[in-house]
Structure formats: C-alpha cells, structure tokens
Amino acid sequence: MIRVAPVQRCLQSKLILEKPGDNLDDEHMAKLIVYLINDFEKKKPFLFHERNVNGKIGPKFQNELKELLGLYIFATFRLQRTCRKIESFLSDKNEACKYITNNKLPKKSKINEFKNEYSYLINEFLLFTVEFGVQFNLVDFKIVTVDSTTVEASVDEYRRLKYEQIIYLENLILKYSKSKGKASIWKKLRKFFYYKELEDKMVDLIEDIYKKLNKHGRKLLIIALKSKRACKEILEFIEILKDNCVQGKMVNLTDPYTKRVLLKKGKTKFGYLIQTVTDSKTGLIIMQNVVEESTDAGQLIQAIDYIQHTYGKTPQYIIADNGYYKIESLEYAFYNGITPIVPDRTESMNNNGTKNDNQFAKHNMPFDAINNNFTCPYGQKLTPTKTKMIYGVLNNVYTTDKCPECPYKDQCAKTHKHRKLYEPASPAFLEEKRIFQSSKGKKLYKLRPAYSEGNFADLKSHQEFHKSRRIGFNKVDIDLKLEAIVINIKKIKKHLNVTLI
C-alpha cells in the first residue's frame, strides 16, 4: 500500500495540463492552423485592428481576432459550420478548440459577430495560404486549371416571381402609390388587403391583380401598402429583382442573386455557380469565388484577370473544359502570354465519347490545324473559301468543289450544292487547335480532372458541402472561401509532411 500511493500520484500528475494543447500531438491540425495564423498576423498585422460597424476602432472581443479566425477554420474542418453548432462544439470542451482560443470559449453572438464584421480576414487568409505555398514551392503558377461546380441554395424553391410579374408589380405601385386622400385607389387597395373592404369600382383591378400576381407578389404589394417607407423599400427590392432576373425566367425572393443551376443529379434548382482556379503543382486552390453568372462562358477572362491582379503572376498554361470555350477568351489568353488548353465542342465530344456514329457529322470529319482543312468521308479536303458573320463572330466557310460528283452528296450535303463547315476566322482558333491536338496538349489536359474535380470531390464528399447553409451572395462566398482554406491547409500538411513547421 505504501508503494501504490506514489504511483497513483504520479499518474494523476500526468493528467493535469499546464496549458491547453499539451496533450495534442504535434501532427494535430489545430497546431498547424495556429502556426499559419500566427505567421499571417506577423506579416499583415494591420488586418487585425479591430473595428466596429462604422469602420472605426471599436471595443475588443474577449477573444483575439486570430483566435476566432482559427476557431472558424478548425470548426469548418470538423464540419461544424453554423454559429449554434460551433457553440455546441465548444461546450464539449474540445481540447483543440481550447488550444486555438487560449481556453477562452466565445458565445454564439461573438462567433456570429466575427463572421459578419471580419469576413475580410477569411478572404485574406485564403490568399495567405497561396503565398505560403509559393514560399515552400507548393505553388508555381506555371499550369493552372479552371473549373466550376454548383451548390444548391438555402432558399424556398417556390418563393419566386417571373420577370413579367415583377414589372407588373412595379408599374402598379408607381401608378397608384403617389395618389393621396381617402378616395384614392391606393387607399382602397389598402382597405381591401388589410380590412377586406371591397368597393364595386375596385373589382376589376383586384381580379387583375390576382390574375397577374402570384401569392408572393401579392405579399410584396401588401407590404408596400403599409407605409411610405415600406413602399420605398419594396421599390428598391424590385430593382434588385429586375437586375437579377432575365425576361422569361424566374427570380427567387429569398435570395435574388441565386440562379437556376443544373445540379449533378440532373435536377435544376436555385443555386450558386462556383468558379475555382487550382495550381496544378500540388492542387492548392488559388481562387474560389461565387459568381453571379449561371454559365462558364466568359469566366476564363475573369480567372486570368484575378490571377494577374491578385498575385502579380502570369501562368504559362491555363486549362479548362469546353464550357469555357469562347474565341474572345482564347484571344485574351494569348494576348496576355498564356497558352489556353480548352477543347472546342468537337474535341470535347472526342474526349468524353459522346459523339454519334454519323460519319457525315462535323465532329467525325478530322480537322488538320496545321493545314487548316477538314477531311470528309470521301477523302476530300474542305478548305476555307470565304467568310461569314454568324452570331456576331466572323467564321471561315470550309467547302470543296468535289461535292457535286461525290456519291455521298445526298447524305452529306443533302439539298445543298456543297457541304459547308464553319469555324472561327481567328488565329487564336487555329493556334489553340494545334496546341490541343499535340501530344503535350493532350498530356496537359489530363491534369484538369485530377486537380479541379479532385477539389470539388473534397468539397462535396469529405467536407459535405452540397448545400449552402446561409442566405446571401456574400455570405455563401465567404463560407466557400473557408472551405477552400481547409482544403489548402490539408494539402500543405500532406505535401510538406509537417508536424509543426
């Protein structure tokens, strides 16, 4: 018995922690997060000046900003994204959280306040992870890949208005809201919608309103009828709806910035289009933005501008899929000294195996980028003979004078005298085509799915980010930057094989 007591005291003393994090391994993700944030603060201390809503120096948080930033990153890594879940996560006395926050566990209100007031720190820290990657030779900006994915929005799918309904509502408010007096139509509309008092003279107008506005449009009208201030706010909201709605389409009232996007399961819902640029050396994300457009067309130019303006770098190659193919984008890339590896529709169909068996289809007629001609099934060369403007783009018209004597004319040219094929009359088209068809171009294009789609798989499978949890374009953008930070830190840890740098 005399010998047991000291052993017990010895064992007990090992369980008493001198400070948070003593029992965490050096390989723990929390320690790498804290190291990176401390380095970030040393290099950019001016970003950590605490400010209030008006932009002036304000009262300090109980926690330092770097502690709250680290908490958000670690919570995202552990799939705890909402303020309520993070608070619950903290209440479990998680040792890593105690280490990150120096044993100061903030309340939900402070957690939420940080994300709303200091979201710029999240954006800047994503850029820092890239700069850190450059420092340790994980990023070289030589070959970058551009790709996109869609995320479902956290909105009511049925709370929407058509463009025609928005215009009708706006005209209705502008026409009648300025009239004054108890006998005005605006006052009579208010009596009907608020007190169910209907005059005979108002029947036709009420029927027209119910016919041309759905229940969500009528709710906006009812709010506008409440007061002058409410009416002004609804008119301002209508301007936002108009800016984000195309004629013939619908706009969501919960979040007007969402667009109808095609999800992976083939369903079309309101969501966000995410544009991601990845450095192919180790797969670090150098850009992850939510964009207002619903297609990839034109996004290649945006990606090039972002890289040059943000990092002051010009990639040697930029790789993207057919969705980004646009002559203006190819020309812009070449103009900036960047070689684009982007397949046109024919090359894309050859790569993914979606072309049909019709031998007379354009995609089944081989194109020689060096000699600038097509080869038809009869073995004849179709060369550019003239140009034609199609949808605002100047195109070369490829034909051959051998068509009239061809035995396949009825199947190929059909009722026309000659078979005509069209391609852009731009040097960028031929140059990109030549590069893509080369062995190096094909090898480079195979890098795209490994990195771009690999990051999306990490986002949706490992991080389980299939649907946004917050409403608002800027809030969703910040949440996705947090996800990109987590993915980058995991890659830093993997490629540097660090415990604590």
Side-chain angles (χ1 to χ4, degrees), residues 405-419:
E405 59 193 59
C406 177
Y408 302 111
K409 178 183 177 300
D410 292 341
Q411 295 171 271
C412 184
K414 297 183 180 179
T415 59
H416 300 282
K417 186 176 180 180
H418 298 277
R419 177 64 190 272

Side-chain angles (χ1 to χ4, degrees), residues 355-491:
K355 64 179 183 178
N356 59 42
D357 297 329
N358 180 8
Q359 63 176 327
F360 304 108
K362 177 184 173 181
H363 56 259
N364 284 325
M365 295 188 188
F367 181 80
D368 184 347
I370 297 175
N371 297 307
N372 191 19
N373 60 45
F374 286 91
T375 302
C376 76
Y378 193 50
Q380 297 300 319
K381 304 298 183 182
L382 282 74
T383 57
T385 57
K386 60 180 180 179
T387 58
K388 184 178 180 180
M389 192 70 71
I390 301 175
Y391 298 116
V393 177
L394 187 65
N395 280 254
N396 279 325
V397 183
Y398 294 78
T399 60
T400 176
D401 57 3
K402 302 296 184 182
C403 284
E405 59 193 59
C406 177
Y408 302 111
K409 178 183 177 300
D410 292 341
Q411 295 171 271
C412 184
K414 297 183 180 179
T415 59
H416 300 282
K417 186 176 180 180
H418 298 277
R419 177 64 190 272
K420 297 178 181 179
L421 299 177
Y422 302 91
E423 289 293 4
S426 169
F429 161 74
L430 288 174
E431 181 66 12
E432 193 281 334
K433 197 87 168 175
R434 181 188 63 78
I435 294 168
F436 192 89
Q437 291 178 350
S438 67
S439 57
K440 184 175 183 179
K442 292 176 181 178
K443 184 178 179 180
L444 286 172
Y445 188 68
K446 290 181 180 179
L447 295 174
R448 188 190 65 83
Y451 292 106
S452 293
E453 295 180 8
N455 283 333
F456 293 146
D458 198 351
L459 174 69
K460 294 189 175 182
S461 298
H462 298 121
Q463 294 299 113
E464 299 178 8
F465 199 102
H466 300 279
K467 183 177 181 179
S468 62
R469 289 161 177 79
R470 296 202 296 167
I471 296 172
F473 184 90
N474 293 330
K475 291 181 179 180
V476 176
D477 187 57
I478 285 297
D479 286 350
L480 281 159
K481 281 181 169 57
L482 269 173
E483 304 296 332
I485 287 170
V486 170
I487 292 172
N488 279 0
I489 292 178
K490 288 195 291 186
K491 290 184 184 295

Side-chain angles (χ1 to χ4, degrees), residues 80-96:
Q80 308 296 318
R81 295 184 175 90
T82 64
C83 298
R84 192 177 298 279
K85 285 188 176 181
I86 294 174
E87 185 183 43
S88 176
F89 188 42
L90 291 172
S91 65
D92 294 337
K93 306 297 182 184
N94 182 282
E95 185 62 26

Side-chain angles (χ1 to χ4, degrees), residues 58-229:
K60 290 186 177 181
F61 284 110
Q62 177 185 356
N63 297 81
E64 295 182 29
L65 292 181
K66 64 179 182 180
E67 295 169 355
L68 290 168
L69 176 61
L71 175 62
Y72 256 112
I73 294 170
F74 183 70
T76 302
F77 171 70
R78 295 292 296 272
L79 310 185
Q80 308 296 318
R81 295 184 175 90
T82 64
C83 298
R84 192 177 298 279
K85 285 188 176 181
I86 294 174
E87 185 183 43
S88 176
F89 188 42
L90 291 172
S91 65
D92 294 337
K93 306 297 182 184
N94 182 282
E95 185 62 26
C97 290
K98 291 167 69 177
Y99 170 71
I100 291 171
T101 61
N102 288 319
N103 212 17
K104 297 176 286 186
L105 305 181
K107 298 296 183 182
K108 182 170 74 70
S109 59
K110 291 298 180 184
I111 297 171
N112 183 62
E113 185 179 347
F114 169 81
K115 201 169 189 179
N116 289 332
E117 301 296 333
Y118 297 93
S119 58
Y120 66 87
L121 275 176
I122 296 170
N123 183 56
E124 290 293 331
F125 189 69
L126 174 58
L127 303 182
F128 172 77
T129 61
V130 179
E131 293 168 4
F132 187 87
V134 172
Q135 179 185 350
F136 284 88
N137 202 28
L138 301 180
V139 176
D140 57 14
F141 290 100
K142 289 183 179 178
I143 304 170
V144 299
T145 63
V146 184
D147 210 344
S148 68
T149 189
T150 53
V151 170
E152 185 180 347
S154 181
V155 297
D156 182 353
E157 278 287 317
Y158 300 100
R159 191 168 178 260
R160 56 195 183 185
L161 283 178
K162 291 183 178 179
Y163 184 81
E164 293 75 13
Q165 292 175 320
I166 298 169
I167 298 301
Y168 176 81
L169 176 61
E170 181 183 40
N171 291 336
L172 187 71
I173 295 173
L174 291 175
K175 183 177 180 180
Y176 297 116
S177 62
K178 294 180 181 180
S179 59
K180 298 180 180 179
K182 295 181 179 180
S184 67
I185 293 178
W186 190 248
K187 293 293 183 181
K188 291 177 180 178
L189 284 172
R190 190 175 190 279
K191 286 182 180 180
F192 172 77
F193 284 105
Y194 278 89
Y195 308 109
K196 302 302 178 184
E197 297 180 11
L198 177 61
E199 296 184 13
D200 294 339
K201 295 180 180 180
M202 295 292 293
V203 172
D204 291 340
L205 178 58
I206 297 298
E207 287 181 351
D208 192 53
I209 290 172
Y210 271 81
K211 182 180 178 181
K212 295 182 178 179
L213 285 180
N214 61 17
K215 65 178 181 179
H216 304 295
R218 295 195 296 271
K219 283 182 180 179
L220 293 179
L221 175 60
I222 292 171
I223 295 172
L225 289 165
K226 187 176 182 180
S227 64
K228 288 183 179 180
R229 181 178 178 181

Side-chain angles (χ1 to χ4, degrees), residues 271-301:
Y272 303 93
L273 182 67
I274 307 162
Q275 294 291 335
T276 300
V277 179
T278 306
D279 188 275
S280 65
K281 186 165 187 178
T282 54
L284 256 71
I285 297 172
I286 59 180
M287 183 196 87
Q288 183 150 289
N289 290 336
V290 178
V291 297
E292 296 185 13
E293 292 78 9
S294 57
T295 64
D296 296 330
Q299 291 300 318
L300 198 68
I301 294 175

Side-chain angles (χ1 to χ4, degrees), residues 312-331:
K313 302 288 185 178
T314 298
Q316 186 176 352
Y317 295 95
I318 189 164
I319 306 170
D321 61 23
N322 174 244
Y324 294 85
Y325 189 88
K326 200 174 181 182
I327 288 300
E328 293 88 341
S329 299
L330 301 182
E331 292 173 340

